[in-house]
Amino acid sequence: MASCINGGELHVRVVHRRLVQASDESLHPHVLAVSNLDLLPQTIQVSMFCIYPKLNTSGGGFHDVVAAFAAGLPSLLNHFFPLAGRIRVSPCSGLPEIHCYNQGAELVVGEADVALASLDYGTVGASVGKILLPYAGDVALSVQVVSFACGGFTVAWGTNHVVVDGSALSRLVSAWSELARSGTLSPGSWPNHDRSVFRPRAPPSYGASLDEAFTPLDGERQVNVLTRDESFVDVRLYYIEAADIARLREQARATRVQAVSAYLWKALATVVGARDARCRMVWWVDGRRRLTSSSQELRAAMRNYVGNVTTFALAEATVEEIQRKPLAEVASMARDAITAPAYDEHFQELVDWMEVHKAGKQRYIDTASIGLGSPAVSVTAFASFEVDTDFGYGHAAMALPTSSSSARLCTGFVQIAARPGGGDGSWFASAILWPRLAAALESDERLGRIFKPVTADYVGNVVTFTLAEATVEEPLPGGGVHGARRDHRAGKLVAETWTRWRNTRASSSARHVEAATVRLGSPTVTVSAFSSFRLDTDFGFGREAVPLCSGFVQIAARPCGDGSWLASAFVWRRRSNPTSSACSGLSRRSTLNCSITPSYR
């Protein structure tokens, strides 16, 4: 797989792809019929994408990460046995079903030749979308682990929406983390795959409003492809700081989701302006905690249910009303829309409605997503789900749900996910937006720009330095320079992540520099390899702002592509002599410029 990045190519090379089966031989092969609620969402591939910017070297290298998945996935599949199966279409009913014959989940190991920091995190297509590897449509689980040149790695948990919803996908990732750390899965975390808990009534019964809520998913009822493609920017990736969420909550006097929804609704109304009289908001709701009046059997089944238990709540109002009302009143409208339905009866009606409409191959979509009528923005709050991403190598810096749809939908869509680890309370948001709405969110200074584009620095993908020290007589530990890069445990090595160090000193007004650069101890030479980056030919090297006293060498690939390097070196005068055979054009000045041919690399 190759994708363009920063003018070059991002290559994700598949090192190996294998099938991993459940290890419990007592599990019996069977066919798992999906529930009527599983038939409501589109049969599309979905994933949870986790970014680990820096490998925790105390837990080993990337090969240890791969070994952990190879060793632990069989035990995980003992609990999530349907994910070791295949999604098939029943020849009798024409409906999807899961053949649980332990065919095996995919474990894909890949490597990328760039650093995570080189990705453009402002859009999903320029970051996450370049890393995800395709997998067959019938595969129930594809686990993809990819290493990067910076030492970080990513893990993608790919599956299908007919198998899981957002809550179930989050539960899968959390179960893996618990199992990998402790070697076992506590009974309270055991998943429930019994779809029979959602049974239709005889005869089925539902209100006429459901016929209006859903539309057949066929080409005649969708916008044309040019309208869809030209109406939206690429999937934007934002972060919302905890302080901004708290500020919105204070103004809205509401929950976090309601407060942010109210902010989005007012932004939408402002963008719509006089072009339409009305606008809408849609919220996707997890039913597990809202089925409070159902049978004890159903309530118990919902605790760890793996499957789809989602519906949507919709509210429509005039543009003038949303613009005029303060944030607190708009948040109250959102709260009323989300809490008003009698969810026990509503979900039963959904089951009954699908029982009547599932015959044949016709699929349905919620009408609001088609894009006809007043403009609408849908919100899915993954932030309500706790996702444990620490499987022994620290929490991911970002855990982002992703999906792909072949349907030509024309509505705004925002997915909100909490930053992993339960730390600072900030959120990530992936958003499909109209250009006007994206511009409005990114330029809104009234509340200090709530939606900020994600950067590599924010995710934690920043430049780090590794220090190796030895006596003059002995070679560098762990194989010299190669050991310093590859074996972070050998000799006197220090690896610092600048962002984490900086955050501990956020309250200080003093500026800091790494101690090795000032270097009051043994003489030091620092190497900065610009040859790892694909650069435009118009570049320069800046001067340091403080007087430093260490050697500094910057390396850049020659733009013509012949494999040679250029080096700008700030070195002691006597340091140039041993390198004269490798460098041309050396002088005895403090600043040297030289070229290095491929034979010396």
Side-chain angles (χ1 to χ4, degrees):
M1 172 186 174
S3 304
C4 291
I5 175 171
N6 294 343
E9 293 285 322
L10 163 63
H11 296 275
V12 178
R13 184 176 72 88
V14 176
V15 178
H16 66 76
R17 185 190 298 263
R18 55 175 290 197
L19 295 178
V20 180
Q21 296 177 305
S23 58
D24 188 350
E25 296 181 356
S26 67
L27 294 170
H28 298 293
H30 62 280
V31 175
L32 178 64
V34 299
S35 78
N36 284 352
L37 295 181
D38 292 324
L39 298 175
L40 284 171
Q42 301 175 64
T43 306
I44 58 175
Q45 292 183 334
V46 296
S47 69
M48 182 69 76
F49 188 86
C50 303
I51 298 178
Y52 298 82
K54 195 65 179 176
L55 185 61
N56 182 355
T57 55
S58 63
F62 180 70
H63 63 281
D64 295 300
V65 173
V66 175
F69 277 97
L73 278 179
S75 296
L76 181 70
L77 293 173
N78 290 341
H79 296 281
F80 291 85
F81 191 57
L83 297 183
R86 291 294 179 269
I87 303 167
R88 304 294 192 209
V89 175
S90 169
C92 298
S93 66
L95 300 175
E97 57 189 18
I98 306 173
H99 288 201
C100 305
Y101 300 151
N102 203 16
Q103 296 95 323
E106 274 193 348
L107 175 58
V108 185
V109 178
E111 60 181 22
D113 58 354
V114 301
L116 281 165
S118 66
L119 302 179
D120 177 9
Y121 289 89
T123 65
V124 171
S127 53
V128 174
K130 293 182 178 295
I131 304 167
L132 286 170
L133 298 168
Y135 56 96
D138 65 342
V139 170
L141 178 62
S142 176
V143 181
Q144 304 175 4
V145 190
V146 178
S147 67
F148 287 78
C150 58
F153 65 98
T154 61
V155 179
W157 298 82
T159 181
N160 195 290
H161 211 329
V162 77
V163 181
V164 299
D165 60 7
S167 175
L169 182 57
S170 301
R171 184 174 299 279
L172 170 68
V173 177
S174 297
W176 160 250
S177 296
E178 179 184 344
L179 184 63
R181 288 197 314 267
S182 66
T184 185
L185 197 60
S186 62
S189 299
W190 291 355
N192 172 29
H193 302 282
D194 183 11
R195 262 64 167 186
S196 67
V197 293
F198 292 108
R199 294 183 289 269
R201 292 175 289 203
S205 175
Y206 56 89
S209 60
L210 287 183
D211 288 327
E212 300 176 0
F214 293 97
T215 298
L217 188 58
D218 57 47
E220 295 180 357
R221 293 176 172 85
Q222 299 176 47
V223 299
N224 65 70
V225 64
L226 292 179
T227 300
R228 189 272 313 271
D229 291 347
E230 298 301 323
S231 294
F232 292 91
V233 296
D234 194 7
V235 185
R236 288 280 207 264
L237 189 54
Y238 301 105
Y239 68 93
I240 310 175
E241 294 179 303
D244 292 330
I245 299 173
R247 200 146 39 89
L248 288 178
R249 285 196 67 184
E250 183 179 359
Q251 293 186 28
R253 300 190 296 276
T255 67
R256 293 176 299 170
V257 172
Q258 293 163 8
V260 173
S261 296
Y263 174 80
L264 282 170
W265 204 350
K266 289 184 73 67
L268 174 63
T270 300
V271 169
V272 172
R275 286 186 289 271
D276 201 311
R278 307 180 70 82
C279 58
R280 293 174 287 177
M281 287 292 292
V282 181
W283 296 269
W284 287 94
V285 180
D286 177 27
R288 289 167 177 80
R289 289 176 290 182
R290 298 182 183 274
L291 295 173
T292 57
S293 303
S294 300
S295 66
Q296 184 176 355
E297 175 195 12
L298 182 57
R299 292 199 306 272
M302 289 300 98
R303 294 192 188 103
N304 296 321
Y305 183 77
V306 174
N308 285 273
V309 198
T310 57
T311 186
F312 64 91
L314 184 147
E316 185 174 29
T318 66
V319 169
E320 184 276 331
E321 180 183 11
I322 300 302
Q323 289 179 323
R324 170 174 47 82
K325 286 185 174 180
L327 194 69
E329 292 187 28
V330 178
S332 179
M333 295 169 64
R335 178 171 55 250
D336 291 344
I338 296 171
T339 60
Y343 281 101
D344 293 275
E345 176 61 22
H346 176 71
F347 274 99
Q348 184 61 63
E349 288 193 358
L350 284 175
V351 172
D352 291 352
W353 184 88
M354 182 52 70
E355 184 68 16
V356 173
H357 291 79
K358 69 182 182 181
K361 298 182 179 180
Q362 181 64 65
R363 301 306 303 272
Y364 293 84
I365 187 75
D366 59 292
T367 304
S369 294
I370 295 293
L372 303 179
S374 61
V377 170
S378 297
V379 174
T380 298
F382 275 74
S384 304
F385 311 138
E386 294 183 4
V387 185
D388 182 0
T389 59
D390 181 7
F391 62 97
Y393 294 84
H395 281 287
M398 180 170 66
L400 185 72
T402 70
S403 61
S404 59
S405 174
S406 59
R408 301 191 299 273
L409 307 181
C410 205
T411 187
F413 188 70
V414 179
Q415 288 188 118
I416 298 170
R419 189 159 193 167
D424 61 3
S426 61
W427 285 354
F428 289 103
S430 61
I432 303 173
L433 301 171
W434 296 278
R436 286 177 180 269
L437 183 54
L441 291 176
E442 294 171 16
S443 62
D444 183 12
E445 298 293 346
R446 294 174 302 125
L447 295 175
R449 292 180 65 205
I450 302 298
F451 284 75
K452 303 178 181 69
V454 172
T455 62
D457 190 15
Y458 183 77
V459 176
N461 299 319
V462 295
V463 176
T464 65
F465 64 90
T466 301
L467 171 67
E469 185 177 28
T471 65
V472 175
E473 292 82 7
E474 66 180 344
L476 283 172
V481 175
H482 294 284
R485 293 186 59 196
R486 298 177 183 174
D487 189 355
H488 290 247
R489 294 168 291 179
K492 295 175 60 179
L493 292 173
V494 179
E496 290 287 348
T497 303
W498 179 262
T499 297
R500 294 180 183 177
W501 182 90
R502 179 191 62 195
N503 289 343
T504 64
R505 291 157 174 79
S507 60
S508 171
S509 60
R511 298 179 65 188
H512 299 82
V513 67
E514 62 269 24
T517 306
V518 179
R519 207 49 187 172
L520 300 180
S522 59
T524 303
V525 172
T526 300
V527 177
S528 178
F530 277 75
S531 57
S532 303
F533 312 138
R534 295 176 174 87
L535 300 179
D536 196 315
T537 56
D538 182 13
F539 67 94
F541 301 102
R543 296 183 179 273
E544 72 279 3
V546 294
L548 307 178
C549 202
S550 68
F552 189 76
V553 180
Q554 288 183 308
I555 300 171
R558 194 170 183 180
C560 65
D562 64 356
S564 61
W565 288 352
L566 301 175
S568 174
F570 215 52
V571 297
W572 299 276
R573 291 177 183 271
R574 294 183 61 185
R575 185 63 179 167
S576 62
N577 293 333
T579 65
S580 58
S581 62
C583 298
S584 61
L586 288 179
S587 68
R588 299 187 63 82
R589 298 174 299 170
S590 296
T591 302
L592 305 177
N593 295 293
C594 64
S595 62
I596 306 176
T597 61
S599 61
Y600 283 94
R601 290 164 50 193

